[in-house]
Amino acid sequence: MGVFDVPLDGDRVQLEAFIEDCRSAIEATLHGLTEEQARRRLVPSATTLLGLLKHVTWMQRVWFEECVGGTSRRELGLVQRPDESFRLDPGDTIASVTAAYREACATARTAVADLPLDAVVTGHRFGPRTLHWVYLQVLRELAQHCGHADILREQVLA
């Protein structure tokens, strides 16, 4: 279901449609690229297309597995800081990072399936949040990184 299919539906349906749209969009920025293109650094930071997908995988795990699920980053085997989550390991490939991303998205959907938007989740290190707040934060990050990925893809293909 796309974002234009839900203009009169409830907040949760709308939020989930926008999140899913962004999830699909950022994954699509890797379609048809070579491994070299996906890893190409075009900006002074460590940001690459493959690194962006690795970061949003980490980001969703933080918000849905740590914040909502209550499992610490350490227990999840996650790096501690956002900037570390962009770093690519030698064995990272488009296929492996995409598989981890899809798994994180599926886990996120399961983590929130039975929770109302006003549920208070307490796993984040900065304190309690509502699920609604978490959805907005995830949507903000996904949208921001979709924009980055669009620009990087355009540069890679230029």
Side-chain angles (χ1 to χ4, degrees), residues 22 30 50 58 70 80 92 94 103-105 116-117 121 137 155 158:
C22 287
L30 292 174
L50 193 58
W58 175 88
Q80 296 299 303
D92 286 335
I94 293 170
E103 183 179 332
C105 292
L117 282 179
V121 295
Q137 172 63 15
Q155 290 178 317

Side-chain angles (χ1 to χ4, degrees), residues 76-98:
L76 292 168
L78 297 175
V79 296
Q80 296 299 303
R81 295 188 338 259
D83 60 318
E84 296 173 304
S85 68
F86 287 88
R87 293 189 189 135
L88 297 173
D89 298 323
D92 286 335
T93 64
I94 293 170
S96 69
V97 173
T98 299

Side-chain angles (χ1 to χ4, degrees), residues 60-115:
Q60 290 189 86
R61 293 195 68 199
V62 165
W63 288 111
F64 293 111
E65 295 177 50
E66 180 182 45
C67 183
V68 174
T71 306
S72 73
R73 292 175 196 188
R74 192 167 318 285
E75 291 172 289
L76 292 168
L78 297 175
V79 296
Q80 296 299 303
R81 295 188 338 259
D83 60 318
E84 296 173 304
S85 68
F86 287 88
R87 293 189 189 135
L88 297 173
D89 298 323
D92 286 335
T93 64
I94 293 170
S96 69
V97 173
T98 299
Y101 173 72
R102 289 177 180 170
E103 183 179 332
C105 292
T107 299
R109 290 181 200 102
T110 300
V112 298
D114 297 327
L115 296 175

Side-chain angles (χ1 to χ4, degrees), residues 44 48 54 59 72 94 100 106 146 149 152 156:
T48 64
K54 192 169 182 179
M59 177 271 296
S72 73
I94 293 170
C146 279
L152 288 176
V156 163

Side-chain angles (χ1 to χ4, degrees), residues 113-146:
D114 297 327
L115 296 175
L117 282 179
D118 61 355
V120 175
V121 295
T122 59
H124 196 268
R125 58 190 171 163
F126 293 128
R129 311 255 185 276
T130 63
L131 180 58
H132 188 258
W133 189 96
V134 171
Y135 269 26
L136 291 171
Q137 172 63 15
V138 168
L139 179 58
R140 183 194 67 78
E141 283 213 42
L142 284 168
Q144 175 183 6
H145 293 311
C146 279

Side-chain angles (χ1 to χ4, degrees), residues 1 33-34 53 87 99 123 127-128 144-145:
M1 182 175 331
L33 298 183
T34 66
L53 194 64
R87 293 189 189 135
Q144 175 183 6
H145 293 311

